[in-house]
Amino acid sequence: ALAVTGLIAVVSGLVAASRGRVDWRRVLTYGAAGSVGAQAAAPVAVRTPTSVQTGLFAAVALYAALRMWSASNGPGEPPQGADGASGTPAWKPLVIGFAIGVLTSLLGGGGGFLLIPALAVLEGLPMTRAVATSLMVIAITAAAGVVGLWMNGGLDEGGFHGRAVAIVAGCGLAGSAVGSAIQRHVPQAALRRVFAVLLVLVTGGMVARQFLG
């Protein structure tokens, strides 16, 4: 899952970067902290049961959905300074980035869902810029997570399936291209609501397969 997430994120992120949508300062801040978190969590991730990972994913995704839906009903984006900085304390992005890195390693990329609420709600970035920036951060943390799993034996004994990664990543990239074309014509509040609804639907499907299937 980390490999698929990383491939989709890096390709889609580079396309967005070519259009000037990526905030590289935040990529470095969240990416560096996230990489440390992903490496720190790797020894635990390889020993965490699938049912526990699914439960954590559900909790993280539902929290992110709630924050995004609530923000869509607010007065708009928080004000930013001339350098694009919001009023967020300097230490907070580092803590959030570290936590997202931990979750990304534990959940196989699922922790990355928190990036968009963090960037859009806490940092005040427009949704298009928050999505593009999150893609590059996810690419960095996913790569760190894969390395961490490999160093801890998580890719041994058939733990990596290259063909499956290529097929799923290819489908994901096609979906990413369609989504990128659509988002330019959708209002910010609507994008936040769509993101929240999709998170709830994906979470419901995963939980049903894990505990009811």
Side-chain angles (χ1 to χ4, degrees):
L2 276 174
V4 171
T5 301
L7 280 174
I8 295 173
V10 71
V11 174
S12 301
L14 289 174
V15 171
S18 69
R19 297 170 179 167
R21 298 178 184 173
V22 175
D23 187 318
W24 290 106
R25 180 176 66 83
R26 289 180 171 91
V27 168
L28 292 175
T29 301
Y30 281 87
S35 296
V36 174
Q39 290 289 336
V44 178
V46 299
R47 298 173 177 84
T48 304
T50 303
S51 59
V52 175
Q53 290 181 330
T54 302
L56 285 172
F57 178 90
V60 169
L62 291 175
Y63 172 77
L66 178 62
R67 289 302 302 266
M68 289 300 287
W69 187 273
S70 299
S72 71
N73 297 320
E77 310 293 349
Q80 297 187 10
D83 62 349
S86 64
T88 306
W91 57 267
K92 189 170 286 187
L94 296 175
V95 173
I96 295 173
F98 180 86
I100 290 174
V102 170
L103 291 169
T104 299
S105 188
L106 286 173
L107 309 180
F113 281 124
L114 277 179
L115 267 171
I116 295 177
L119 292 169
V121 178
L122 299 181
E123 296 278 4
L125 294 183
M127 276 294 290
T128 51
R129 198 162 178 83
V131 170
T133 302
S134 73
L135 287 170
M136 296 308 299
V137 178
I138 290 170
I140 294 171
T141 55
V146 169
V147 172
L149 291 175
W150 172 70
M151 293 176 63
N152 287 275
L155 301 182
D156 297 340
E157 300 178 359
F160 182 83
H161 304 280
R163 182 180 178 185
V165 168
I167 293 173
V168 178
C171 293
L173 287 170
S176 176
V178 173
S180 178
I182 293 174
Q183 75 168 355
R184 286 175 287 181
H185 308 287
V186 180
Q188 296 290 310
L191 282 175
R192 291 180 174 187
R193 292 191 183 103
V194 169
F195 180 83
V197 171
L198 287 176
L199 276 183
V200 172
L201 292 176
V202 170
T203 301
M206 288 188 63
V207 171
R209 283 197 303 271
Q210 177 64 37
F211 297 107
L212 303 178

